[in-house]
Amino acid sequence: MIWDALLALLPFLILFIGSVSVLFVPERRALLFGVFCALLAAGFCWWPCAPVMSDLLLVSSGPFARGCLTVWALLGAATCLLSERYRESRRFASPEFAALVLFCVLGMSILAASTSLVSLFLGLEAMTLAFYVLIAFDRDNPTGAEAGLKYLLPGFLASALLAFGIALVYAATGTFTLQGNVSLPVGAAMHTIAILGWTLILCAIAFKSSLAPFHLWTPDVYQGAPAPVAGLLASGSKGAVFAVLLASIPLTLIAPMRPLLAALAALSMLAGTFAALPQTNLKRMLAYSSVVHMGYMVLAVLTGHQAGLEAGLFYLLSYGAATVAAFGLLASLTDSNGEPQNYAALEGLAGRSPWRAALLTLFLLSLAGFPPLAGFMGKFVLFSAALDAGYVWLVVLALFSSLVSCYYYLRPVVRLFRPSSSSVFSVVANGGELVVLGLCAIIIVTAGMYPGPFFRLIAAIAP
Amino acid sequence: MPTLLFYILAAITLLSTVLCLTRKNPVHAVLYLVHALFALALLYFLLGAPLLAAWQIILYAGAIMVLFLFIIMLVESPVADQSSRRLSRWLPPAALSGSLLVCGGALIVMDPAATAVISSYWLTPRDFGCALFEHYGLAVEIISLILLFAAVGAFHLGRRYRPNSKEDVS
């Protein structure tokens, strides 16, 4: 029994032991050790283990949880690889950085694997706590501290809302579990309390995934955070939150919340689109574009059927790969002067490093949804699933916002290919960065042109 | 009678929380927070969880708030405020503490163990420990990990020397 439980928890244990022991690894090797631990955890995910009482363990060891854990671990490894040269130029303390990235991955894994509201809360708190520090990690950068504070205060508010919501749900239903046939209580008074609780929980989730009325922290935090951390924040934390929303929370519980979710989606698409239009800072533009993408993701939650869920997971994959890569590319262009965040600083990149200019173009085009890239395929399956579920007005809104999005994605691309006399930066990317960027580019191109294997993989792990 | 006590205690909790949020002097804010936490402890006692009530007082109203006070007094030098000698300034906290004292006394006299609304849920320390470490054992472990990494993060953000200067020395 105890061995079964330990075996089921093995990837979590590897992440935890790795994140503690990396603190004792010398400065130069720490990030590589972090990559090693993350890959080890990703590998041991698929070690066969007996099904254990997951309600006792609070985390599931099912295929969906394991699939998510693999993806988060790979994301953590990518973040460590992308930070290697970044930390040298910005003089980071790498053991602490690697430890916090691994702990963040642990939190995201617990979150995506949660079978009860307790582990949902704890996973979210673990992840957010690591992000509080990671965002403000660069202590020489005053905007980093500002960004950390701007993530901390809404984060506290979201945690309070989540805890209050969970308490109300527990008061109404008498259970924390998310498994099996849980449904809202029928009695009138308790029903209202449960609805109130779930509304608060959804508000907290909207805070964490920066859905529209709760998105105000996003641009400032992305701008101030180190670029690899911003990539992890944009892809991993939002991915983990949506993995919970799509897979762990039963649809019977969300059903009465549909109008709220539809309003959040519509507001996110509109607010994100119009705020992204005038941006001249790549990170701020990506922040607003992530608000729009999270609005699309809500469509997948709204559909409420299996095809919609799989479309949502595919969309999350295509969005996550492109976002991590775009922030990673920014990290690979960073020198001791800082990140070239403004479009003006990126001008003429195509002349100096044509490969990276081409890759950045590829990532931005995928985010915009140009065919034959993954972003297009993701939008296609997602919007058609939403159309099947009858959300015509939301799909029209989504099509409108993705049409407008071409403008703000192409603006920096045009600047890349414009000749510029000033060569402000000419940084050579190192091997790790090239591996991550190349892998993301391969995923984006293959998932766009030959999506069959990806859909089969998603169908195999989807709950 | 328990219902009346519940409303009185809930009102005290809310009132002292609002006062805690609006005070300019951090020491006053902490003292109002102590009131809120104490009233909450009495609410737990009323609901049939005496162990939780005791811990609430020992840990939150006691240890953590004392820590808060220490930190506030270490960080900023207290300014002697002449107006604090006036009696009217002492009235609100005195009224709050007095009513809390009366409520606590009433609770002891009433002994909600005998008359609790949900008497089957009277929680003994043994039940509490079993629930905590059998059912939520993993949650306790995760919380301890969160605290560990909070310490790691605080260490990184709070230390004086720069990592590069450390490399230069070695």
Side-chain angles (χ1 to χ4, degrees), chain A residues 31 36 48 117 147 153 176 197 211 215 246 254 258 263 267 274 320 344 381 390 435 451:
Chain A
L31 283 170
F36 170 73
L117 287 169
L153 295 176
F176 285 125
L211 283 168
H215 69 290
L246 280 171
I254 300 202
R258 274 165 199 265
L267 265 177
F274 286 114
V381 288
V435 167

Side-chain angles (χ1 to χ4, degrees), chain A residues 211-229:
Chain A
L211 283 168
F214 308 109
H215 69 290
L216 294 168
W217 55 272
T218 321
D220 291 339
V221 170
Y222 281 19
Q223 190 185 4
V229 174

Side-chain angles (χ1 to χ4, degrees), chain A residues 85 328-335 338 340 346 349 353 356 425 427:
Chain A
R85 207 184 45 76
L329 206 129
L330 213 53
S332 84
L333 294 172
T334 303
D335 55 13
L346 287 166
L349 182 69
S353 39
R356 276 183 285 174
F425 60 95
V427 193

Side-chain angles (χ1 to χ4, degrees), chain A residues 172-219:
Chain A
T173 60
T175 175
F176 285 125
T177 188
L178 291 170
Q179 281 186 311
N181 291 320
V182 277
S183 55
L184 290 167
V186 254
M190 285 295 125
H191 190 78
T192 317
I193 289 180
I195 296 274
L196 192 62
W198 277 108
T199 310
L200 287 176
I201 292 175
L202 277 186
C203 286
I205 284 177
F207 253 117
K208 298 287 177 189
S209 54
S210 64
L211 283 168
F214 308 109
H215 69 290
L216 294 168
W217 55 272
T218 321

Side-chain angles (χ1 to χ4, degrees), chain A residues 16 27 57 93 137 139 176, chain B residues 136 138 145 156-157 159 167:
Chain A
F16 161 61
E27 190 95 0
L57 283 179
F137 205 87
R139 299 198 311 156
F176 285 125
Chain B
Y136 295 110
L138 193 71
L145 294 188
H156 168 74
L157 293 178
R159 69 178 156 188
E167 271 181 348

Side-chain angles (χ1 to χ4, degrees), chain A residues 359-418:
Chain A
L359 282 176
L360 186 57
T361 310
L362 180 83
F363 303 143
L364 291 179
L365 288 184
S366 174
L367 283 174
F370 274 76
L373 300 171
F376 170 73
M377 190 52 78
K379 275 182 187 160
F380 181 74
V381 288
L382 188 62
F383 293 171
S384 57
L387 218 48
D388 281 346
Y391 286 96
V392 180
W393 67 279
L394 273 178
V395 173
V396 170
L397 208 57
L399 285 174
F400 165 73
S401 73
S402 50
L403 197 67
V404 177
S405 78
C406 294
Y407 172 73
Y408 58 78
Y409 284 123
L410 287 179
R411 258 178 88 194
V413 170
V414 171
R415 300 291 284 271
L416 290 181
F417 292 94
R418 194 178 286 173

Side-chain angles (χ1 to χ4, degrees), chain A residues 4 11 23 32 64 82 94 108 133 170 200 207 240 304 310 317 354 361-362 368 377-378 382 404 420 433 435 450:
Chain A
D4 286 347
L23 291 170
L32 280 179
F64 181 71
L82 289 172
S94 60
M108 294 194 290
V133 185
Y170 185 76
L200 287 176
F207 253 117
E310 287 169 17
L317 181 78
T361 310
L362 180 83
M377 190 52 78
L382 188 62
V404 177
S420 152
E433 288 163 354
V435 167
Y450 189 54

